[in-house]
Amino acid sequence: LNKKGLSTCIQKATEYIKENLSATLNIEQIADACFVSKSTITKSFKKELKISVHEYINQELMLKAGVMLESGNMSILSISEKLGFSDQLYFSRRFKQHFDMSPLKYRKSRSQ
């Protein structure tokens, strides 16, 4: 266990997720990268981080989307594509679920 109390497996998994962050990222890829089974990674996430792998990926995606929206003039379409979403509408819906506002509103609220 490291100083944050996370196992090597979870540390590796969270690093892998950050480096390969995409809406298309799945548990199989993460498990393979950490040389463990899908059930091991699933159980470890729940136990150590108290959220599912899917929720963790979604959180990271939304945080990154927020940073991208704040830090410039990249279009919402470009951001959604860069994060691996198949369409901008789906990205916007997921973003709104997370932040309680649309990507456009979020950008405007941050640029004042």
Side-chain angles (χ1 to χ4, degrees):
L1 293 173
N2 73 346
K3 60 185 177 291
K4 288 184 190 162
L6 298 176
S7 65
T8 314
C9 173
I10 291 299
Q11 284 176 33
K12 246 187 177 160
T14 54
E15 279 170 29
Y16 181 84
I17 291 167
K18 282 186 172 86
E19 288 165 13
N20 299 279
L21 193 59
S22 165
T24 60
L25 189 60
N26 63 41
I27 295 172
E28 288 90 353
Q29 294 166 306
I30 299 160
D32 288 349
C34 299
F35 305 105
V36 294
S37 69
K38 283 182 356 185
S39 67
T40 299
I41 212 95
T42 304
K43 286 178 196 153
S44 297
F45 256 84
K46 274 281 189 228
K47 187 176 160 219
E48 295 182 42
L49 298 176
K50 311 284 186 263
I51 58 172
S52 71
V53 178
H54 183 71
E55 288 170 314
Y56 184 85
I57 293 170
N58 192 48
Q59 253 180 357
E60 290 297 316
L61 277 168
M62 293 303 120
L63 290 173
K64 178 130 188 198
V67 169
M68 291 167 90
L69 283 163
E70 285 174 44
S71 68
N73 47 14
M74 194 186 268
S75 74
I76 292 165
L77 176 63
S78 298
I79 292 171
S80 75
E81 286 172 349
K82 200 166 172 72
L83 293 176
F85 286 90
S86 52
D87 77 65
Q88 186 184 344
L89 232 62
Y90 179 61
F91 164 72
S92 294
R93 213 168 40 237
R94 293 263 304 268
F95 190 90
K96 196 170 182 173
Q97 284 173 341
H98 190 83
F99 287 105
D100 287 328
M101 64 175 84
S102 71
L104 199 60
K105 249 189 177 146
Y106 183 89
R107 175 176 270 164
K108 283 180 179 158
S109 75
R110 302 293 187 200
S111 65
Q112 286 152 8

